Amino acid sequence: MARIAVLGAGAMGSALCTPLADSGWDVRLWGTWLDDHLLDAVEAGQRHPRTKAPFAQGVRTFRSDELEEATDGANVIVMSVASVGVPKVTEMALPAMQHADAIWLTSKGFCPDEGGRIELLPDALRRIAGQAGVTLPPMVAIAGPVKANECAERKPTATIFGCRDGEVSLRYARQARTPVYAIDHTDDEVGVEVCAPMKNVYAIALGISDGLEEATGIPHHNLKAATFARAVREMSLLGEALGARPETAFGLPGVGDLEVTGLSGRNKVYGVRIGRGERADDALAEMTRLEQTVEGVPAASLAAQLVAQRAPDLVGELRLMAAVNDIIGGAGDPATLVTQAVLPPAP
């Protein structure tokens, strides 16, 4: 039985334990110093506080001071913490990572290095490891339309594993698959990693349309559809500029993940709050108080820096990304900014 250590006991980390246990892995879940109350609940036999779903049976849990025990002998290590915590947890887990057969990432975001250069998460992990004299095994980016609560409840779910080595992503897609957790595979690591955080950015804009309906009583479905189409195009353009295949954005990592996030994810909820009239900073403060992480907010700013650094020709083309950044910063009317960004210009 292969052993896998999941780092991060939040919604996605805990939910992933269910298909992993079902597919025959020896699963260990490690919680960070922020996860004690989550582990308290599941160790007491309660539903996970974030997913509201039962915790997978047979999974061993470990506290933040038990990282070495949690990763001991792990064939695979899964990074499943919020993107802001990835550098620190990577540094802590390097001794085990270098001996693993693969690193999986469900974390979604961008990471600035010491000089302010914005990196995709796999590149950041490789850099951090290299600075410590460590060579990492292959990395598998995991994305797609996966709501953590549905995954934990064994509802039908499609995801995608992306690795530079397509044989690696194929092997693990076969090893982690269950009858209800179906895994596609690709060698387009960059495309998967671009779509993963960018769909959070664009889900904010989708939520604004829903918030406008709540505020006015009038559906804004046309605006939401135009926003969706523009978001997918921008993900494809950015991915291609960074070396991805443009069609990746039109599959599970892009269209699929954007659809599910735009229906009910935290980033969408943040957009709804703004669309119905809340100030962006007030909405974010309230969601933070409720422990609802809105990863699209930092991702939007970092994405703009990434574009300026590595794809400056796209600065004027990624209109919706720019509009979301303006909205987060409180510059202008959200409905107007989204409308101007997504409606086709006059020919």
Side-chain angles (χ1 to χ4, degrees):
M1 182 184 297
R3 178 172 295 172
I4 189 165
V6 180
L7 308 185
M12 189 56 70
S14 65
L16 184 60
C17 291
T18 298
L20 290 175
D22 289 348
S23 56
W25 291 77
D26 172 13
V27 187
R28 299 179 171 197
L29 179 65
W30 175 80
T32 74
W33 46 97
L34 300 176
D35 296 339
D36 285 343
H37 62 301
L38 304 177
L39 294 179
D40 286 343
V42 300
E43 289 172 357
Q46 302 170 11
R47 291 174 175 256
H48 191 280
R50 297 278 175 79
T51 66
K52 312 303 182 186
F55 186 60
Q57 293 185 353
V59 176
R60 292 183 59 188
T61 56
F62 296 82
R63 300 294 174 133
S64 59
D65 61 351
E66 298 175 316
L67 180 59
E68 185 175 352
E69 296 92 328
T71 56
D72 181 43
N75 303 97
V76 172
I77 294 177
V78 185
M79 181 66 67
S80 195
V81 300
S83 57
V84 67
V86 166
K88 182 173 183 179
V89 174
T90 298
E91 291 174 355
M92 294 170 59
L94 277 179
M97 284 182 167
Q98 64 180 323
H99 297 299
D101 297 326
I103 308 298
W104 297 2
L105 294 93
T106 70
S107 302
K108 300 172 176 65
F110 302 107
C111 184
D113 66 13
E114 296 89 342
R117 184 175 184 274
I118 310 303
E119 299 173 311
L120 302 181
L121 288 185
D123 295 328
L125 265 67
R126 294 183 185 106
R127 171 181 53 80
I128 293 168
Q131 291 171 344
V134 172
T135 299
L136 292 180
M139 276 187 274
V140 178
I142 301 177
V146 181
K147 290 301 297 294
N149 60 322
E150 293 183 29
C151 179
E153 293 277 10
R154 297 182 177 87
K155 302 304 182 185
T157 295
T159 187
I160 187 166
F161 284 15
C163 180
R164 288 176 174 178
D165 185 338
E167 290 299 316
V168 172
S169 56
L170 172 60
R171 180 170 74 250
Y172 287 118
R174 287 171 172 167
Q175 292 180 6
R177 184 184 180 95
T178 76
V180 292
Y181 184 75
I183 308 168
D184 199 357
H185 59 92
T186 179
D187 62 2
D188 189 7
E189 173 194 287
V190 172
V192 172
E193 280 295 317
V194 168
C195 290
M198 291 306 296
K199 56 86 180 170
N200 287 332
V201 175
Y202 294 124
I204 295 172
L206 294 175
I208 287 172
S209 294
D210 292 335
L212 290 170
E213 179 176 356
E214 289 188 14
T216 65
I218 301 171
H220 284 64
H221 297 165
N222 291 350
L223 177 61
K224 189 172 185 179
T227 301
F228 191 96
R230 184 69 204 176
V232 175
R233 172 170 171 75
E234 292 192 10
M235 284 192 288
S236 181
L237 289 171
L238 179 56
E240 185 176 18
L242 298 179
R245 289 197 292 274
E247 63 269 22
T248 296
F250 295 89
L252 290 173
V255 169
D257 213 352
L258 181 63
E259 165 69 7
V260 76
T261 308
L263 286 171
S264 60
R266 295 183 299 269
N267 297 281
K268 180 257 190 181
V269 171
Y270 174 64
V272 169
R273 286 176 171 270
I274 295 171
R276 69 188 181 203
E278 293 184 41
R279 286 169 47 97
D281 53 354
D282 291 340
L284 183 61
E286 177 61 12
M287 293 186 70
T288 300
R289 186 187 70 80
L290 296 172
E291 296 187 10
Q292 298 173 348
T293 303
V294 186
E295 290 211 321
V297 171
S301 174
L302 292 172
Q305 296 176 55
L306 174 67
V307 172
Q309 292 170 2
R310 298 177 56 186
D313 291 347
L314 290 181
V315 169
E317 184 66 23
L318 303 184
R319 301 192 303 269
L320 184 55
M321 182 193 73
V324 172
N325 271 300
D326 287 342
I327 291 166
I328 292 170
D333 173 62
T336 301
L337 288 169
V338 171
T339 299
Q340 291 174 343
V342 305
L343 295 188

